[in-house]
Amino acid sequence: MRPRVFCGIAAAVALFATACSGGGDGGGDNAGGGSTQQAGAGGAFPVKVADCAGKETTVKQAPQRIVTSNAASLEMLLQLGAGERVIGTGFPPRKGSLPAALAEQGAKVPALGDTLIPKEKLLGSGADLYVDTFGPMPAMGAAGAGPSEEELKAVGIQHVLLLSTACTTGPKAPQGPRTDLAAVEDDIRRLGAVTGTGARAEELVGAMEKQITDVKNATAGVPEAQRPGYFLFDFDAGTKQPMAVCAKQVANAVITLAGARNVFADCDADFRPVSWEDVVAKNPDWIQLAVRNRGSEEANSKAFDEAEAFLKGFPATQGLKAVQEGHFLRIGSEVTTIAGTRTADTVRQIAATLHPALVKNGQ
């Protein structure tokens, strides 16, 4: 079986839809988060937030016309109860990608771009807040740069970044590996403060923390040396050269909390291209077949089948322990590598697969 390689914009989207850069230039209206005066249950304003560089700005009142960069940030706002204020999104949710309770509302949000929102469309959207999951994406060329902070300010749009996925450099970047979901929870609280839904944010975070605590307690007796090695195989990034999830990516925390060892946790980045020789040297015990949502259960199943067939048929990976033992997890990449309330569900799902005697899925 020959490795497959994506071409053109499809490749860029597949490779970088879950990756990100340093998160902006620190302009005064880049309301990224990191330092937040929490809004109370009634939505107390003003709220101060800071960008990846630590520069603060002030949100004086609850935004009424919000645009989101992709389905992940849209889902977060839907979960917070602010979905009726979202007037458009990029990377719109495909069928089946949102929880059933949110699917109908999410489907009604206009798509301002099939992938990235064109700069002119975002600036002309009439939004008063732009919630951005990734920040600038230089690898996608001019389209990935997005509007400058000055251009956003000129049309009255404030800019909020999800720091858990947008900041890999700067004062708000993680120091050392990500081993918990604190940054994800902070993003939820930050958006709750900015949108005046702070009470709902605390409910969501509380549910996440309970689930994580239950898993950690259940697996606490498993010694570090006995925790299985885990490789997240980003099938949609192409198979010619695998893309490793490294220590600063949210998925590293997901894997760690689930009672496993990310085999590329020694990589001091969020994502990094590696070689198949590197993967073979790590010889993981388990491999996650991480594919992006295709829009239907049938299409997703086919993509998982293709990813598994590649690993079984590719000479370099046929002898891996996980491949020989059929130790595959079929879990979508979005709920593993992008911040959201369902990130905690992924922790439990992985833990229940790797430690079935200790953790039960969905309980």
Side-chain angles (χ1 to χ4, degrees):
M1 182 177 294
R2 297 178 60 190
R4 56 201 271 277
V5 183
F6 285 77
C7 301
I9 188 67
V13 171
L15 184 58
F16 294 101
T18 55
C20 54
S21 69
D25 61 6
D29 284 280
N30 185 351
S35 173
T36 305
Q37 291 180 355
Q38 295 291 340
F45 288 90
V47 174
K48 288 185 178 181
V49 285
D51 65 12
C52 294
K55 187 174 179 63
E56 287 190 341
T57 192
T58 300
V59 178
K60 296 181 179 179
Q61 59 187 11
Q64 299 302 312
R65 296 175 62 81
I66 305 171
V67 168
T68 56
S69 68
N70 74 339
S73 45
L74 169 61
E75 180 180 337
M76 203 174 285
L77 288 169
L78 292 172
Q79 293 278 19
L80 286 167
E84 74 282 352
R85 289 182 261 163
V86 181
I87 62 170
T89 189
F91 286 101
R94 294 185 176 184
K95 184 178 180 181
S97 64
L98 292 175
L102 305 176
E104 183 177 355
Q105 186 179 14
K108 293 178 181 178
V109 176
L112 301 184
D114 291 334
T115 56
L116 297 173
I117 301 174
K119 173 180 172 179
E120 295 75 16
K121 186 166 286 189
L122 175 57
L123 292 173
S125 65
D128 54 9
L129 179 70
Y130 177 47
V131 180
D132 188 354
T133 302
F134 305 121
M137 300 168 71
M140 295 189 71
S148 68
E149 297 304 323
E150 290 74 18
E151 289 171 322
L152 289 168
K153 182 178 180 180
V155 294
I157 300 177
Q158 290 190 297
H159 185 192
V160 170
L161 289 166
L162 299 187
L163 299 195
S164 60
T165 47
C167 296
T168 57
T169 61
K172 300 303 177 182
Q175 301 301 309
R178 290 188 189 270
T179 57
D180 59 39
L181 297 183
V184 178
E185 294 171 356
D186 285 348
D187 278 334
I188 294 170
R189 288 189 171 105
R190 184 178 304 113
L191 285 187
V194 168
T195 59
T197 57
R200 174 58 178 162
E202 290 302 326
E203 290 177 8
L204 293 172
V205 169
M208 290 178 65
E209 290 181 340
K210 181 182 185 307
Q211 188 158 207
I212 295 300
T213 298
D214 289 346
V215 171
K216 288 177 66 177
N217 289 342
T219 59
V222 182
E224 181 67 25
Q226 295 180 19
R227 298 192 172 215
Y230 192 98
F231 173 55
L232 187 146
F233 174 34
D234 189 349
F235 184 59
D236 292 301
T239 56
K240 184 176 181 179
Q241 183 176 32
M243 181 65 64
V245 162
C246 296
K248 291 188 176 181
Q249 222 288 320
V250 170
N252 188 71
V254 172
I255 295 166
T256 302
L257 291 168
R261 293 179 296 103
N262 175 16
V263 295
F264 286 102
D266 56 351
C267 165
D268 188 29
D270 52 356
F271 294 91
R272 180 171 294 168
V274 294
S275 68
W276 283 116
E277 288 77 10
D278 293 328
V279 177
V280 170
K282 301 290 187 180
N283 197 18
D285 299 292
W286 289 87
I287 297 177
Q288 179 177 335
L289 307 174
V291 303
R292 295 179 178 84
N293 185 276
R294 299 313 203 249
S296 72
E297 186 174 341
E298 181 181 2
N300 288 340
S301 180
K302 181 180 178 182
F304 284 127
D305 288 344
E306 290 173 351
E308 182 173 333
F310 168 78
L311 292 172
K312 289 180 175 179
F314 188 46
T317 54
Q318 287 176 337
L320 289 175
K321 181 179 180 180
V323 175
Q324 290 288 310
E325 297 181 355
H327 282 180
F328 300 113
L329 296 88
R330 296 187 168 207
I331 303 175
S333 58
E334 292 94 337
V335 294
T336 314
T337 61
I338 303 179
T341 58
R342 288 186 289 165
T343 313
D345 299 334
T346 305
V347 171
R348 177 173 286 278
Q349 186 177 356
I350 294 173
T353 303
L354 275 55
H355 305 287
L358 302 175
V359 180
K360 304 301 180 184
N361 199 18
Q363 296 181 3

